[in-house]
Structure formats: structure tokens, C-alpha cells
Amino acid sequence: MILVAIVLAVGIAVVERSMEAPERIRVANTAGTLTVMLEVSDVRILFGAGSSRSHAADFLGRTTRPWDREIDLLIVPGWDDRHAAGAIGLLERRDVHGVAVLGIPGDEPVWTLLEREAQSQDIPLVFLGQPHELELAPATTLRLTPTEKEHEGAWARLDHRGLRMDLVDAEQPALASPHPLAFAPVNDHVVINTRSPELPASSSPQLLIVPRPFWSFQFEELEVPFISEIDRDQRVSLRIDDGSLRVPLEDTVNYRR
């Protein structure tokens, strides 16, 4: 029943949100990891929340209007408790309508704090230990799954009007793979790896978006047509237009071929 509540929450359109607003995917480096905002089919979804109470909330404040900052669904990777702090910071601002923890978290006290904050605001919160699928619109689907148990992580796939995008948050992304009942990690248009400059196993994207490497040993050449590296406290805005994804050169930190 709670999952149904979240699906309904995702479907609620914000009254002040313009129906003609362009569809975008916004990516920000929040304290070393990437937070991704999906604005598609009149729905706003946030994947990841960062390791502090302020970074993701600041990202939301800088990229939305003061009267339109609602998040229809916040997806929090459950394998790493550092995301819980950022999620609490977002809930404290009362801008979130539903929370999905992707993967079963450990027993760290911060998860209890997140649950209590959600309960105090009557916000639906579910823990997803198995693959799930949300139909956001007739041609828009979001699939959520934990990665295989050998390599902890969370994986989401957006299929939107012919565009495919994978969002990966994993301890070892080069070895991680989605649950076999969810989908196969191949033939992607875009992969956003939130944690490191690695390419997830078996992925073959046209565009890879990663946090800019902080240590020299993290730099590596990857065989992908395009790479965008986002530095700390920087963000990139990608516009969806007629089934294509437009990435302005001036919005990228590193865009190479």
C-alpha cells in the first residue's frame, strides 16, 4: 500500500509548475558525489542526496523557482548511510512528497532518523529490496533495482520517449551490475555514475557523466564517445528535445571526444 502511495505522489502535478516547462536532467556534484534531478513528464525526481544536509538542498534551491521546489519522489541509495543525511536535510525543508530507499540499509541510527522525519511529515517512505518499476507516463518508465549482492549499490534506469539513461551509485561501479530480473546494462545512451570516474560493467553509453576525479590515480581513459566530468559544487543541465539530449558545451567541465 505504501508503494501505491508513492506512485500516486509521483503522479500529482504541482499546481504552479508550468506545463510548458522544458524537460531537463540536471546533475550536480554535491560534496564529491553526483545528485541527479529528473524533470520529465511533469514529474520531478531526485536520485541521491549527498553526504551533508545542505548540499542537495542547495542544489534544489539554485535550480528551481522559490514557489516550485517540490520533489515528487526522492530516491536514496540504501547501501551507503551517507545519503541519509542529505535526505533528512531535504525533508526538513518540507519539499519532498515521497521517499524510496533503494536497497536494504544497515542498522545505522541515521536511517531511523530519516524514518522518523518522514513519519512526522506524513511522507510515504518505502524500502525497495527487489526490482520495481514506475510508469511515469505512457512513454516514460523508471526502473529501480539494487545491484548484485557481491558489489553493493543502487541502479535506476529511465526510458523516456526513446531516450535511455542509467543512474548508478555503487562502491565498485566497474564491477557492479543490476539485478538480473531488472534489466541488462547494455546499449545505453547516457550513463551517470554518481560516485567515481569508472564505467559500470557491460555498459556502452554514448555519454558518460561522472564526478571529476580528485586524486591523480583516479584519472583513466575510457572508451566512450563523450565524457562529462563535473567538479565539486558545479552542475550541468541537459535538455531533452524531440527525443534527443542536448548538452551545452559551456555547461560541461570536461567534454572530450
Short mmCIF file of all heavy atoms in Angstrom, two decimals, residues 4-64:
data_model
loop_
_atom_site.label_atom_id
_atom_site.label_comp_id
_atom_site.label_asym_id
_atom_site.label_seq_id
_atom_site.Cartn_x
_atom_site.Cartn_y
_atom_site.Cartn_z
N VAL A 4 2.04 2.04 -3.46
CA VAL A 4 0.96 2.67 -4.23
C VAL A 4 0.87 4.14 -3.90
O VAL A 4 0.70 4.99 -4.77
CB VAL A 4 -0.39 1.97 -3.95
CG1 VAL A 4 -1.53 2.73 -4.59
CG2 VAL A 4 -0.35 0.54 -4.46
N ALA A 5 1.05 4.47 -2.62
CA ALA A 5 1.00 5.88 -2.21
C ALA A 5 2.10 6.68 -2.87
O ALA A 5 1.90 7.83 -3.27
CB ALA A 5 1.11 5.98 -0.68
N ILE A 6 3.29 6.07 -2.99
CA ILE A 6 4.39 6.77 -3.64
C ILE A 6 4.10 6.96 -5.12
O ILE A 6 4.35 8.01 -5.69
CB ILE A 6 5.71 5.99 -3.42
CG1 ILE A 6 6.22 6.28 -2.02
CG2 ILE A 6 6.75 6.39 -4.45
CD1 ILE A 6 7.61 5.77 -1.75
N VAL A 7 3.54 5.93 -5.77
CA VAL A 7 3.20 6.06 -7.18
C VAL A 7 2.20 7.19 -7.37
O VAL A 7 2.31 8.00 -8.29
CB VAL A 7 2.63 4.73 -7.72
CG1 VAL A 7 2.13 4.92 -9.15
CG2 VAL A 7 3.69 3.65 -7.67
N LEU A 8 1.22 7.28 -6.48
CA LEU A 8 0.25 8.36 -6.57
C LEU A 8 0.90 9.71 -6.34
O LEU A 8 0.60 10.68 -7.01
CB LEU A 8 -0.87 8.13 -5.55
CG LEU A 8 -1.81 6.96 -5.83
CD1 LEU A 8 -2.80 6.80 -4.68
CD2 LEU A 8 -2.55 7.14 -7.14
N ALA A 9 1.84 9.74 -5.39
CA ALA A 9 2.53 11.00 -5.12
C ALA A 9 3.32 11.46 -6.33
O ALA A 9 3.38 12.65 -6.63
CB ALA A 9 3.45 10.84 -3.90
N VAL A 10 3.94 10.51 -7.02
CA VAL A 10 4.69 10.86 -8.23
C VAL A 10 3.76 11.44 -9.28
O VAL A 10 4.13 12.34 -10.04
CB VAL A 10 5.41 9.61 -8.78
CG1 VAL A 10 5.99 9.89 -10.14
CG2 VAL A 10 6.51 9.19 -7.82
N GLY A 11 2.52 10.95 -9.32
CA GLY A 11 1.60 11.40 -10.35
C GLY A 11 0.94 12.73 -10.08
O GLY A 11 0.28 13.28 -10.95
N ILE A 12 1.10 13.26 -8.89
CA ILE A 12 0.47 14.54 -8.55
C ILE A 12 1.25 15.68 -9.19
O ILE A 12 2.43 15.85 -8.93
CB ILE A 12 0.39 14.71 -7.03
CG1 ILE A 12 -0.53 13.63 -6.43
CG2 ILE A 12 -0.12 16.11 -6.67
CD1 ILE A 12 -0.57 13.65 -4.93
N ALA A 13 0.61 16.46 -9.99
CA ALA A 13 1.26 17.61 -10.62
C ALA A 13 1.24 18.79 -9.66
O ALA A 13 0.23 19.07 -9.03
CB ALA A 13 0.56 17.97 -11.93
N VAL A 14 2.35 19.49 -9.58
CA VAL A 14 2.40 20.70 -8.77
C VAL A 14 1.61 21.78 -9.49
O VAL A 14 1.80 22.02 -10.69
CB VAL A 14 3.86 21.13 -8.56
CG1 VAL A 14 3.92 22.41 -7.74
CG2 VAL A 14 4.64 20.01 -7.89
N VAL A 15 0.73 22.46 -8.77
CA VAL A 15 -0.19 23.41 -9.40
C VAL A 15 0.56 24.51 -10.14
O VAL A 15 0.24 24.86 -11.27
CB VAL A 15 -1.12 24.01 -8.33
CG1 VAL A 15 -2.01 25.08 -8.95
CG2 VAL A 15 -1.95 22.91 -7.70
N GLU A 16 1.60 25.05 -9.47
CA GLU A 16 2.29 26.19 -10.07
C GLU A 16 3.30 25.78 -11.15
O GLU A 16 3.90 26.64 -11.78
CB GLU A 16 3.03 27.00 -9.00
CG GLU A 16 2.13 27.77 -8.05
CD GLU A 16 1.71 26.95 -6.85
OE1 GLU A 16 2.02 25.74 -6.83
OE2 GLU A 16 1.09 27.52 -5.94
N ARG A 17 3.54 24.50 -11.31
CA ARG A 17 4.56 24.08 -12.27
C ARG A 17 4.03 24.25 -13.69
O ARG A 17 2.98 23.75 -14.05
CB ARG A 17 4.94 22.61 -12.03
CG ARG A 17 6.17 22.16 -12.80
CD ARG A 17 6.57 20.76 -12.39
NE ARG A 17 6.87 20.70 -10.98
CZ ARG A 17 7.00 19.57 -10.29
NH1 ARG A 17 6.83 18.42 -10.90
NH2 ARG A 17 7.29 19.60 -9.02
N SER A 18 4.76 24.93 -14.50
CA SER A 18 4.32 25.22 -15.86
C SER A 18 4.27 23.96 -16.69
O SER A 18 5.20 23.17 -16.71
CB SER A 18 5.29 26.22 -16.52
OG SER A 18 4.98 26.37 -17.89
N MET A 19 3.15 23.75 -17.40
CA MET A 19 3.00 22.58 -18.26
C MET A 19 3.91 22.66 -19.48
O MET A 19 4.17 21.66 -20.13
CB MET A 19 1.54 22.45 -18.69
CG MET A 19 0.58 22.21 -17.53
SD MET A 19 0.93 20.67 -16.65
CE MET A 19 0.45 19.50 -17.92
N GLU A 20 4.40 23.86 -19.80
CA GLU A 20 5.26 24.02 -20.97
C GLU A 20 6.73 24.12 -20.58
O GLU A 20 7.57 24.45 -21.41
CB GLU A 20 4.83 25.27 -21.73
CG GLU A 20 3.41 25.19 -22.28
CD GLU A 20 3.02 26.42 -23.05
OE1 GLU A 20 3.85 27.36 -23.13
OE2 GLU A 20 1.91 26.46 -23.59
N ALA A 21 7.05 23.84 -19.34
CA ALA A 21 8.45 23.90 -18.92
C ALA A 21 9.26 22.85 -19.67
O ALA A 21 8.80 21.73 -19.89
CB ALA A 21 8.55 23.67 -17.41
N PRO A 22 10.47 23.18 -20.09
CA PRO A 22 11.29 22.21 -20.83
C PRO A 22 11.67 21.03 -19.95
O PRO A 22 11.83 21.16 -18.74
CB PRO A 22 12.53 23.04 -21.22
CG PRO A 22 12.58 24.14 -20.23
CD PRO A 22 11.16 24.46 -19.90
N GLU A 23 11.79 19.88 -20.57
CA GLU A 23 12.22 18.70 -19.84
C GLU A 23 13.74 18.71 -19.73
O GLU A 23 14.44 18.92 -20.72
CB GLU A 23 11.74 17.43 -20.55
CG GLU A 23 10.23 17.32 -20.57
CD GLU A 23 9.77 15.97 -21.08
OE1 GLU A 23 10.28 15.55 -22.14
OE2 GLU A 23 8.91 15.36 -20.45
N ARG A 24 14.22 18.48 -18.52
CA ARG A 24 15.66 18.59 -18.27
C ARG A 24 16.13 17.48 -17.34
O ARG A 24 15.36 16.90 -16.58
CB ARG A 24 16.01 19.93 -17.64
CG ARG A 24 15.71 21.15 -18.50
CD ARG A 24 16.16 22.43 -17.83
NE ARG A 24 15.77 23.61 -18.56
CZ ARG A 24 16.46 24.13 -19.59
NH1 ARG A 24 17.58 23.54 -19.98
NH2 ARG A 24 16.03 25.21 -20.21
N ILE A 25 17.42 17.24 -17.42
CA ILE A 25 18.12 16.41 -16.46
C ILE A 25 19.26 17.26 -15.92
O ILE A 25 20.12 17.71 -16.68
CB ILE A 25 18.66 15.12 -17.12
CG1 ILE A 25 17.48 14.28 -17.62
CG2 ILE A 25 19.50 14.32 -16.13
CD1 ILE A 25 17.87 13.15 -18.52
N ARG A 26 19.24 17.50 -14.63
CA ARG A 26 20.24 18.34 -14.00
C ARG A 26 21.11 17.47 -13.10
O ARG A 26 20.60 16.66 -12.34
CB ARG A 26 19.60 19.46 -13.21
CG ARG A 26 18.62 20.33 -14.02
CD ARG A 26 18.00 21.39 -13.14
NE ARG A 26 16.87 22.05 -13.77
CZ ARG A 26 16.96 23.18 -14.46
NH1 ARG A 26 18.13 23.76 -14.63
NH2 ARG A 26 15.88 23.74 -14.98
N VAL A 27 22.42 17.68 -13.20
CA VAL A 27 23.38 16.88 -12.42
C VAL A 27 24.31 17.83 -11.68
O VAL A 27 24.86 18.76 -12.29
CB VAL A 27 24.20 15.96 -13.35
CG1 VAL A 27 25.04 14.99 -12.51
CG2 VAL A 27 23.29 15.18 -14.30
N ALA A 28 24.48 17.59 -10.38
CA ALA A 28 25.35 18.44 -9.57
C ALA A 28 26.30 17.58 -8.76
O ALA A 28 25.95 16.48 -8.33
CB ALA A 28 24.53 19.33 -8.64
N ASN A 29 27.51 18.08 -8.57
CA ASN A 29 28.48 17.43 -7.70
C ASN A 29 28.25 17.96 -6.29
O ASN A 29 28.58 19.10 -5.97
CB ASN A 29 29.90 17.73 -8.17
CG ASN A 29 30.94 16.91 -7.44
OD1 ASN A 29 30.82 16.64 -6.25
ND2 ASN A 29 31.99 16.51 -8.16
N THR A 30 27.65 17.13 -5.45
CA THR A 30 27.32 17.52 -4.08
C THR A 30 28.30 16.85 -3.13
O THR A 30 28.13 15.69 -2.75
CB THR A 30 25.88 17.13 -3.73
OG1 THR A 30 25.67 15.75 -4.06
CG2 THR A 30 24.89 17.96 -4.51
N ALA A 31 29.35 17.59 -2.78
CA ALA A 31 30.37 17.11 -1.82
C ALA A 31 31.07 15.85 -2.31
O ALA A 31 31.38 14.95 -1.53
CB ALA A 31 29.74 16.88 -0.45
N GLY A 32 31.32 15.77 -3.62
CA GLY A 32 32.11 14.67 -4.15
C GLY A 32 31.33 13.58 -4.85
O GLY A 32 31.90 12.78 -5.59
N THR A 33 30.02 13.50 -4.64
CA THR A 33 29.18 12.55 -5.36
C THR A 33 28.12 13.32 -6.13
O THR A 33 27.78 14.45 -5.78
CB THR A 33 28.50 11.55 -4.40
OG1 THR A 33 27.64 12.27 -3.51
CG2 THR A 33 29.53 10.77 -3.61
N LEU A 34 27.58 12.70 -7.17
CA LEU A 34 26.61 13.39 -8.02
C LEU A 34 25.18 13.17 -7.53
O LEU A 34 24.81 12.07 -7.13
CB LEU A 34 26.73 12.90 -9.46
CG LEU A 34 28.08 13.10 -10.14
CD1 LEU A 34 28.00 12.67 -11.62
CD2 LEU A 34 28.57 14.53 -10.03
N THR A 35 24.41 14.24 -7.56
CA THR A 35 22.97 14.18 -7.32
C THR A 35 22.29 14.53 -8.63
O THR A 35 22.68 15.48 -9.31
CB THR A 35 22.56 15.17 -6.22
OG1 THR A 35 23.19 14.79 -4.99
CG2 THR A 35 21.05 15.17 -6.02
N VAL A 36 21.27 13.76 -9.00
CA VAL A 36 20.64 13.89 -10.32
C VAL A 36 19.17 14.27 -10.14
O VAL A 36 18.44 13.62 -9.39
CB VAL A 36 20.74 12.58 -11.12
CG1 VAL A 36 20.17 12.77 -12.52
CG2 VAL A 36 22.19 12.11 -11.20
N MET A 37 18.74 15.31 -10.84
CA MET A 37 17.34 15.72 -10.84
C MET A 37 16.74 15.46 -12.21
O MET A 37 17.21 15.98 -13.22
CB MET A 37 17.22 17.21 -10.49
CG MET A 37 15.77 17.70 -10.40
SD MET A 37 15.65 19.50 -10.23
CE MET A 37 16.52 19.75 -8.68
N LEU A 38 15.70 14.65 -12.24
CA LEU A 38 14.98 14.34 -13.47
C LEU A 38 13.71 15.17 -13.50
O LEU A 38 12.88 15.10 -12.57
CB LEU A 38 14.62 12.86 -13.52
CG LEU A 38 15.77 11.85 -13.33
CD1 LEU A 38 15.21 10.43 -13.31
CD2 LEU A 38 16.80 12.00 -14.43
N GLU A 39 13.53 15.96 -14.53
CA GLU A 39 12.31 16.73 -14.73
C GLU A 39 11.70 16.29 -16.06
O GLU A 39 12.00 16.87 -17.12
CB GLU A 39 12.61 18.23 -14.71
CG GLU A 39 13.12 18.71 -13.35
CD GLU A 39 13.45 20.20 -13.33
OE1 GLU A 39 14.28 20.62 -14.16
OE2 GLU A 39 12.89 20.92 -12.50
N VAL A 40 10.88 15.26 -16.01
CA VAL A 40 10.31 14.65 -17.21
C VAL A 40 8.84 14.36 -16.96
O VAL A 40 8.43 14.03 -15.86
CB VAL A 40 11.05 13.35 -17.61
CG1 VAL A 40 12.49 13.64 -17.99
CG2 VAL A 40 11.00 12.32 -16.48
N SER A 41 8.04 14.48 -18.03
CA SER A 41 6.61 14.14 -17.97
C SER A 41 5.91 14.80 -16.78
O SER A 41 5.09 14.17 -16.10
CB SER A 41 6.44 12.61 -17.93
OG SER A 41 6.98 12.01 -19.08
N ASP A 42 6.25 16.06 -16.51
CA ASP A 42 5.64 16.83 -15.42
C ASP A 42 5.89 16.20 -14.05
O ASP A 42 5.09 16.37 -13.11
CB ASP A 42 4.14 17.00 -15.63
CG ASP A 42 3.83 17.74 -16.92
OD1 ASP A 42 4.51 18.75 -17.19
OD2 ASP A 42 2.93 17.30 -17.66
N VAL A 43 6.97 15.47 -13.91
CA VAL A 43 7.36 14.85 -12.66
C VAL A 43 8.79 15.26 -12.34
O VAL A 43 9.63 15.36 -13.24
CB VAL A 43 7.25 13.30 -12.73
CG1 VAL A 43 7.77 12.65 -11.46
CG2 VAL A 43 5.81 12.88 -12.99
N ARG A 44 9.07 15.51 -11.07
CA ARG A 44 10.43 15.85 -10.64
C ARG A 44 10.91 14.78 -9.66
O ARG A 44 10.31 14.57 -8.61
CB ARG A 44 10.48 17.23 -10.00
CG ARG A 44 11.88 17.65 -9.56
CD ARG A 44 11.87 19.05 -8.96
NE ARG A 44 11.62 20.05 -10.00
CZ ARG A 44 10.96 21.19 -9.79
NH1 ARG A 44 10.45 21.45 -8.60
NH2 ARG A 44 10.79 22.06 -10.77
N ILE A 45 12.02 14.12 -10.02
CA ILE A 45 12.58 13.04 -9.22
C ILE A 45 14.04 13.36 -8.92
O ILE A 45 14.78 13.80 -9.80
CB ILE A 45 12.48 11.69 -9.97
CG1 ILE A 45 11.00 11.34 -10.19
CG2 ILE A 45 13.17 10.58 -9.20
CD1 ILE A 45 10.79 10.11 -11.05
N LEU A 46 14.45 13.14 -7.68
CA LEU A 46 15.83 13.36 -7.28
C LEU A 46 16.45 12.02 -6.93
O LEU A 46 15.90 11.26 -6.12
CB LEU A 46 15.89 14.31 -6.08
CG LEU A 46 17.22 15.05 -5.86
CD1 LEU A 46 17.46 16.05 -6.99
CD2 LEU A 46 17.22 15.77 -4.53
N PHE A 47 17.61 11.73 -7.54
CA PHE A 47 18.34 10.49 -7.28
C PHE A 47 19.61 10.85 -6.52
O PHE A 47 20.47 11.55 -7.04
CB PHE A 47 18.68 9.79 -8.59
CG PHE A 47 19.42 8.48 -8.43
CD1 PHE A 47 18.73 7.29 -8.27
CD2 PHE A 47 20.81 8.44 -8.44
CE1 PHE A 47 19.41 6.08 -8.12
CE2 PHE A 47 21.49 7.25 -8.29
CZ PHE A 47 20.79 6.06 -8.13
N GLY A 48 19.73 10.35 -5.28
CA GLY A 48 20.87 10.68 -4.44
C GLY A 48 20.61 11.95 -3.66
O GLY A 48 19.81 12.80 -4.06
N ALA A 49 21.32 12.09 -2.53
CA ALA A 49 21.09 13.26 -1.69
C ALA A 49 22.36 13.84 -1.11
O ALA A 49 22.30 14.85 -0.40
CB ALA A 49 20.13 12.89 -0.55
N GLY A 50 23.51 13.24 -1.39
CA GLY A 50 24.75 13.80 -0.87
C GLY A 50 25.00 13.43 0.57
O GLY A 50 24.15 12.84 1.25
N SER A 51 26.15 13.80 1.06
CA SER A 51 26.59 13.36 2.40
C SER A 51 26.39 14.42 3.47
O SER A 51 26.82 14.22 4.60
CB SER A 51 28.07 12.96 2.35
OG SER A 51 28.87 14.04 1.87
N SER A 52 25.78 15.56 3.14
CA SER A 52 25.51 16.59 4.13
C SER A 52 24.07 17.04 4.00
O SER A 52 23.41 16.81 2.99
CB SER A 52 26.45 17.78 3.95
OG SER A 52 26.05 18.57 2.85
N ARG A 53 23.57 17.71 5.02
CA ARG A 53 22.18 18.17 5.00
C ARG A 53 21.97 19.37 4.08
O ARG A 53 20.83 19.73 3.80
CB ARG A 53 21.73 18.54 6.42
CG ARG A 53 21.64 17.35 7.36
CD ARG A 53 20.88 17.71 8.62
NE ARG A 53 20.82 16.59 9.55
CZ ARG A 53 20.00 16.52 10.60
NH1 ARG A 53 19.18 17.53 10.84
NH2 ARG A 53 20.01 15.47 11.39
N SER A 54 23.04 19.99 3.64
CA SER A 54 22.90 21.25 2.91
C SER A 54 23.13 21.15 1.41
O SER A 54 22.52 21.91 0.64
CB SER A 54 23.86 22.29 3.50
OG SER A 54 25.21 21.85 3.37
N HIS A 55 24.00 20.25 0.94
CA HIS A 55 24.42 20.29 -0.47
C HIS A 55 23.27 20.02 -1.43
O HIS A 55 23.06 20.77 -2.39
CB HIS A 55 25.56 19.30 -0.71
CG HIS A 55 26.89 19.80 -0.25
ND1 HIS A 55 27.32 19.67 1.04
CD2 HIS A 55 27.88 20.45 -0.91
CE1 HIS A 55 28.52 20.22 1.17
NE2 HIS A 55 28.88 20.70 0.00
N ALA A 56 22.50 18.94 -1.22
CA ALA A 56 21.39 18.64 -2.13
C ALA A 56 20.30 19.70 -2.03
O ALA A 56 19.69 20.09 -3.03
CB ALA A 56 20.83 17.26 -1.84
N ALA A 57 20.04 20.18 -0.80
CA ALA A 57 19.05 21.23 -0.61
C ALA A 57 19.47 22.50 -1.33
O ALA A 57 18.65 23.21 -1.93
CB ALA A 57 18.83 21.49 0.87
N ASP A 58 20.76 22.82 -1.30
CA ASP A 58 21.27 23.99 -2.00
C ASP A 58 21.14 23.81 -3.51
O ASP A 58 20.78 24.75 -4.23
CB ASP A 58 22.73 24.23 -1.61
CG ASP A 58 23.31 25.46 -2.31
OD1 ASP A 58 22.84 26.57 -2.01
OD2 ASP A 58 24.22 25.31 -3.14
N PHE A 59 21.43 22.61 -4.00
CA PHE A 59 21.26 22.30 -5.42
C PHE A 59 19.82 22.52 -5.85
O PHE A 59 19.54 23.15 -6.89
CB PHE A 59 21.69 20.85 -5.66
CG PHE A 59 21.34 20.28 -7.00
CD1 PHE A 59 21.53 21.01 -8.17
CD2 PHE A 59 20.85 18.99 -7.11
CE1 PHE A 59 21.20 20.47 -9.42
CE2 PHE A 59 20.53 18.44 -8.34
CZ PHE A 59 20.70 19.18 -9.49
N LEU A 60 18.87 22.05 -5.05
CA LEU A 60 17.46 22.24 -5.35
C LEU A 60 17.11 23.73 -5.36
O LEU A 60 16.40 24.21 -6.25
CB LEU A 60 16.60 21.50 -4.33
CG LEU A 60 15.09 21.61 -4.48
CD1 LEU A 60 14.65 20.99 -5.80
CD2 LEU A 60 14.39 20.92 -3.31
N GLY A 61 17.63 24.47 -4.40
CA GLY A 61 17.34 25.89 -4.33
C GLY A 61 17.88 26.68 -5.49
O GLY A 61 17.28 27.67 -5.93
N ARG A 62 19.03 26.27 -6.03
CA ARG A 62 19.66 27.01 -7.11
C ARG A 62 19.07 26.68 -8.49
O ARG A 62 19.30 27.42 -9.44
CB ARG A 62 21.16 26.72 -7.13
CG ARG A 62 21.93 27.33 -5.97
CD ARG A 62 23.39 26.90 -6.01
NE ARG A 62 24.15 27.50 -4.92
CZ ARG A 62 24.78 28.67 -4.99
NH1 ARG A 62 24.73 29.36 -6.11
NH2 ARG A 62 25.43 29.15 -3.97
N THR A 63 18.35 25.58 -8.61
CA THR A 63 17.87 25.13 -9.92
C THR A 63 16.35 25.17 -10.07
O THR A 63 15.84 24.79 -11.11
CB THR A 63 18.36 23.70 -10.21
OG1 THR A 63 17.97 22.84 -9.13
CG2 THR A 63 19.86 23.66 -10.38
N THR A 64 15.65 25.62 -9.05
CA THR A 64 14.19 25.70 -9.13
C THR A 64 13.72 27.09 -8.68
O THR A 64 14.46 27.84 -8.05
CB THR A 64 13.52 24.63 -8.24
OG1 THR A 64 13.96 24.81 -6.88
CG2 THR A 64 13.89 23.23 -8.70
#
